[in-house]
Amino acid sequence: MLSAFIAPFKHLSPGAAHTEDEDNLSTSSADVKENRNVSNLEARPLPAGDRTRGSAPGAKRKRPLEEGNGGHLCQLQLIWKTLSWSMAPKNALVQLHELRPGLQYRMVSQTGPVHAPVFAVAVEVNGLTFEGTGPTKKKAKMRAAELALRSFVQFPNACQAHLAMGSGPSPCTDFTSDQADFPDTLFKEFEPAAPSAPFPGRRPAEPERLSPACRRGRLLRHTLDLVAPGDRNPVVVLSQLRAGLRYVCLSERPRSFVMAVSVDGRTFEGSGRSKKLAKGQAAQAALQALFDIRLPGHTPSRSKSHLLPQEFADAVSQLVTQKFRELTVGLTPSVHARHRALAGIVMTKGLDVRQAQVVVLSSGTKCISGEYINDQGLVVNDCHAETVARRALLHFLYAQLELHLSQRREDAERSIFVRRKAGGYRLRDNTLFHLYVSTSPCGDARLNSPYEITTDLTSSKHVVRKFRGHLRTKIESGEGTVPVRGPSAVQTWDGILLGEQLVTMSCTDKIARWNVLGLQGALLCHFIEPVYLHSIIVGSVQHTGHLSRVMSHRTEDIGQLPTSYRHNRPLLSGVSSTEARRPGKSSHFSVNWVAGHTDVEILDATTGKRSCGGSSRLCKHMLSARWARLYGKLSTRIPSHGDTPSMYSEAKLGAHTYQSVKQQLFKAFQKAGLGTWVRKPPEQDQFPLAL
């Protein structure tokens, strides 16, 4: 009936609309009503018989009178406007204005050339400032409103979210997650679609046939519907969704480029044989993560498949930090309970966090001073948390092998190792190790942090870092790293004693080495297969894309590896809530703990020994003594060709396959132009084994 009632007046224009002044950045009534205007609806010309006689052909039709039949027409126009408003979707400005009236938008900056300016507009909501950019002030303002809404528009459960959006529930969408697809999908609906036909000529739908989504003005569209059939270039598609993006080159080598782009506060990387292909990979990664768009002909982002479930990563982080607090709560002085870098290794059965066990803990950020280097293996050269955690794991692995020396069968069954038919031992099925570090490992992983990438993305200059991905060494008795110097790969004992700095490879490079050689080292290779990390969880200053590149992708061209060795690519993740970074100078102490021990060991990182002056349980001398007790008693993977080694260096060189893979790794670094691995003086390994 409503359509029949309005039909006689369907040729009438609803009236003129108000236009928005883009220079006016305050939230006005025109701003919040702009999506309710009906001025864009075309008015059809009146029939010749209805025109006023004597009027000029181009003369405008006069407004109807307010009284009589003319007043009745005004009421119909108001009804028509009300119906139009109820069906028009609300944009971000309207939504934000309804939630927080009276907000003030301010112009932040204008960059770019005159023909393609980029405006930045900011708004403060709930004490936080949100900044949006766009090719016009209006779009920048809209983007700022979207970001503000994203910060606090959440629903307790999926049902309420779907109800508010007027759609059916979807099993694959988590509306309670901060990274869910819901906010992006909702914000896409703020932009009203153009009508397919002049609205006054269309018959309005009956009220009972309008879906709940229409009545709420929040019709959902799949993002893929916005992509034209011919647009299969991810860079073009992403630019249509987020205009004004800028790509920077993070790494440039022959036939290998890495490009990055920042979208909605997140950085995405892509690699390829050309900058064009690398840009496409970066854009595809952003489309897949933010909009769930997978364009045909483009492979999905590798980093997407190498990410650890967030819930599991948070659980591992909490286990390590809680265990450290329990062990250090009674330490005196209390300075030993504080840390700048904390590391721990957690062992699990599969990804079942209920059976997770913290097996080692460590802290520290310093290396030994060159004057304390020892040729009997009585000191720990590197007291950085990640390196100490790995040495503590060696202590744990020796303890697990020693269970097989017991005469009791139940002891061997408690070990994480089982005997191989071909000789030696391997880990039990589904036994996984996860490394947690509270901050990005020193070296390239920390140097090229998200803060530097963000600076490059917003800089007006196109920056290409010369030493991105380069091998780096730690500074003796200090913090920070420097690129490796020159082709010399071996330090000399007399040079260090005469004052040369003792050079130690960065933790980033050491983890990259563990991803090829394994965590067990050369000595344990006599007994067990290589042991690899299943995942790496970084607490702060982390960027999983760059972390994966420097720890795994730098050695992609290493070539074919022998049996039992592999090019390991651990799963990567950050944590939801990071610890507050402690300002000030780092302590020169390092703390370590191994499962099975009730006490923690405190080392002086400058001397590499315990505070009392004794040797650490993690030094080369102690670990080699345990190896010597096992050698000849346990089954080995490496056939014995002669007498038992008498020197520590001989025992290491006896792991022939391990040494061959190590040289293969060093050559891969050199071939990629990343520098030469610097080794310690050989004299420090030439001490007798305690047989």
Side-chain angles (χ1 to χ4, degrees):
M1 291 186 59
L2 183 61
S3 60
F5 182 68
I6 301 178
F9 312 100
K10 64 182 178 181
H11 297 303
L12 297 180
S13 173
H18 300 287
T19 59
E20 180 185 12
D21 183 4
E22 290 186 356
D23 293 331
N24 182 13
L25 295 177
S26 62
T27 305
S28 62
S29 59
D31 291 330
V32 299
K33 293 181 180 179
E34 62 177 314
N35 68 315
R36 299 179 178 179
N37 289 333
V38 291
S39 60
N40 59 337
L41 308 180
E42 298 179 4
R44 294 185 178 181
L46 293 175
D50 292 345
R51 294 180 184 174
T52 306
R53 295 191 179 186
S55 60
K60 294 183 179 179
R61 192 177 186 277
K62 295 182 179 180
R63 272 185 76 180
L65 298 176
E66 298 295 334
E67 60 274 352
N69 293 335
H72 190 60
L73 278 175
C74 291
Q75 287 185 352
L76 291 178
Q77 290 178 350
L78 290 176
I79 295 174
W80 185 270
K81 272 190 178 181
T82 304
L83 289 175
S84 301
W85 292 351
S86 65
M87 289 186 294
K90 300 178 182 179
N91 61 26
L93 285 173
V94 176
Q95 296 280 359
L96 186 59
H97 177 75
E98 291 179 353
L99 295 172
R100 297 289 188 273
L103 295 176
Q104 297 295 321
Y105 295 78
R106 58 184 176 85
M107 181 74 175
V108 176
S109 65
Q110 177 180 345
T111 59
V114 178
H115 66 278
V118 177
F119 298 92
V121 176
V123 61
E124 184 174 343
V125 184
N126 297 336
L128 300 175
T129 301
F130 302 91
E131 183 175 320
T133 59
T136 64
K137 294 179 184 177
K138 178 179 178 180
K139 290 185 177 180
K141 188 176 175 183
M142 190 77 69
R143 182 63 188 145
E146 291 179 10
L147 294 176
L149 284 173
R150 190 191 303 272
S151 68
F152 62 85
V153 175
Q154 291 285 313
F155 293 92
N157 53 61
C159 294
Q160 292 188 18
H162 284 295
L163 182 62
M165 295 168 60
S167 64
S170 173
C172 61
T173 307
D174 179 13
F175 288 96
T176 63
S177 171
D178 290 337
Q179 301 299 330
D181 293 335
F182 158 65
D184 290 312
T185 308
L186 177 60
F187 297 147
K188 294 291 177 300
E189 303 317 308
F190 290 143
E191 300 178 4
S196 58
F199 195 83
R202 294 174 59 190
R203 178 178 177 179
E206 297 181 9
E208 61 271 13
R209 293 188 180 181
L210 291 175
S211 68
C214 289
R215 291 196 294 269
R216 291 179 177 85
R218 295 176 182 175
L219 286 169
L220 292 180
R221 288 198 306 257
H222 292 293
T223 316
L224 274 176
D225 294 340
L226 300 177
V227 181
D231 287 339
R232 298 307 181 191
N233 188 331
V235 177
V236 174
V237 175
L238 185 61
S239 66
Q240 293 174 351
L241 298 172
R242 293 289 185 270
L245 297 178
R246 185 174 182 273
Y247 295 80
V248 297
C249 184
L250 300 183
S251 177
E252 183 174 352
R253 292 188 179 86
R255 297 186 303 169
S256 178
F257 297 87
V258 177
M259 303 293 291
V261 62
S262 181
V263 187
D264 295 351
R266 296 173 60 183
T267 302
F268 300 92
E269 294 183 11
S271 59
R273 294 183 175 272
S274 66
K275 290 185 179 180
K276 180 179 179 180
L277 293 176
K279 283 177 64 176
Q281 289 291 336
Q284 177 60 49
L287 289 172
Q288 182 176 334
L290 299 178
F291 308 104
D292 197 24
I293 294 179
R294 294 172 178 82
L295 297 178
H298 290 271
T299 57
S301 173
R302 282 183 300 180
S303 61
K304 186 74 174 179
S305 59
H306 288 274
L307 293 179
L308 194 67
Q310 189 62 58
E311 298 79 5
F312 183 86
D314 291 340
V316 170
S317 169
Q318 293 171 8
L319 285 172
V320 172
T321 53
Q322 290 174 4
K323 189 68 175 180
F324 184 80
R325 293 192 194 101
E326 293 173 7
L327 293 170
T328 58
V329 66
L331 287 183
T332 54
S334 60
V335 67
H336 295 151
R338 296 196 295 268
H339 64 82
R340 286 284 294 274
L342 173 66
I345 296 179
V346 175
M347 182 176 65
T348 64
K349 190 75 171 177
L351 291 181
D352 187 1
V353 73
R354 295 171 298 179
Q355 301 182 30
Q357 176 189 2
V358 181
V359 293
V360 299
L361 284 173
S362 64
S363 66
T365 58
K366 297 291 181 66
C367 291
I368 189 176
S369 177
E371 60 184 294
Y372 294 103
I373 192 171
N374 188 273
D375 60 356
Q376 297 298 313
L378 298 176
V379 299
V380 177
N381 292 327
D382 188 348
C383 286
H384 281 232
E386 301 91 324
T387 306
V388 175
R390 182 255 177 181
R391 297 197 68 82
L393 181 66
L394 298 182
H395 188 287
F396 175 77
L397 296 180
Y398 276 114
Q400 295 297 310
L401 281 175
E402 289 167 352
L403 291 174
H404 286 272
L405 294 177
S406 174
Q407 300 298 324
R408 297 189 304 174
R409 183 177 179 180
E410 53 269 22
D411 287 341
E413 292 177 351
R414 287 192 298 112
S415 173
I416 64 173
F417 292 109
V418 293
R419 188 164 178 172
R420 299 170 64 246
K421 293 182 180 180
Y425 300 84
R426 64 170 178 83
L427 285 175
R428 292 187 183 273
D429 292 337
N430 225 16
T431 299
L432 307 177
F433 291 101
H434 313 272
L435 172 65
Y436 167 78
V437 288
S438 61
T439 184
S440 290
C442 69
D444 196 70
R446 184 182 300 172
L447 177 71
N448 296 315
S449 67
Y451 306 116
E452 181 180 342
I453 294 174
T454 303
T455 302
D456 288 350
L457 289 170
T458 56
S459 173
S460 59
K461 296 181 179 180
H462 190 76
V463 181
V464 177
R465 302 285 183 181
K466 179 181 179 181
F467 292 113
R468 287 193 191 273
H470 210 75
L471 296 176
R472 303 181 71 88
T473 60
K474 302 170 185 176
I475 298 175
E476 179 185 321
S477 300
E479 294 185 71
T481 59
V482 294
V484 292
R485 304 171 182 173
S488 177
V490 181
Q491 303 172 81
T492 60
W493 187 268
D494 51 350
I496 293 173
L497 294 180
L498 289 174
E500 288 185 6
Q501 285 193 340
L502 181 65
V503 176
T504 305
M505 298 302 296
S506 70
C507 291
T508 297
D509 300 326
K510 288 187 175 183
I511 296 176
R513 170 175 168 161
W514 302 341
N515 284 332
V516 175
L517 295 173
L519 296 163
Q520 76 293 326
L523 291 185
L524 278 174
C525 276
H526 287 268
F527 304 110
I528 64 175
E529 293 181 342
V531 176
Y532 294 99
L533 288 171
H534 182 75
S535 68
I536 300 175
I537 298 123
V538 183
S540 62
V541 196
Q542 56 82 29
H543 183 247
T544 53
H546 179 69
L547 202 64
S548 175
R549 178 156 46 84
V550 298
M551 291 184 179
S552 301
H553 298 164
R554 291 187 298 173
T555 55
E556 282 184 336
D557 296 332
I558 191 173
Q560 186 70 29
L561 295 174
T563 306
S564 76
Y565 287 89
R566 69 176 189 265
H567 186 200
N568 184 51
R569 291 182 176 86
L571 302 180
L572 303 173
S573 179
V575 295
S576 299
S577 58
T578 61
E579 291 186 85
R581 188 171 179 83
R582 292 180 172 87
K585 193 174 182 179
S586 299
S587 170
H588 63 280
F589 291 101
S590 173
V591 175
N592 70 79
W593 171 84
V594 185
H597 293 260
T598 57
D599 61 324
V600 297
E601 183 180 70
I602 301 173
L603 301 179
D604 186 337
T606 304
T607 63
K609 293 187 176 183
R610 290 187 293 168
S611 304
C612 62
S615 297
S616 168
R617 59 192 174 198
L618 306 182
C619 70
K620 292 181 179 181
H621 184 85
M622 293 294 186
L623 294 179
S624 63
R626 300 183 73 175
W627 179 88
R629 288 195 296 269
L630 294 175
Y631 193 81
K633 298 179 181 179
L634 292 182
S635 172
T636 61
R637 298 175 58 246
I638 303 174
S640 178
H641 299 287
D643 298 333
T644 301
S646 59
M647 302 290 290
Y648 177 78
S649 57
E650 292 178 6
K652 292 182 66 174
L653 292 175
H656 303 292
T657 306
Y658 180 91
Q659 297 297 336
S660 174
V661 175
K662 183 171 71 172
Q663 295 304 317
Q664 192 174 344
L665 173 66
F666 293 166
K667 290 179 181 177
F669 281 128
Q670 290 179 317
K671 182 180 178 182
L674 302 177
T676 303
W677 191 279
V678 183
R679 287 168 284 182
K680 293 286 195 306
E683 289 86 353
Q684 71 168 1
D685 290 342
Q686 296 173 356
F687 60 89
L689 291 171
L691 300 175

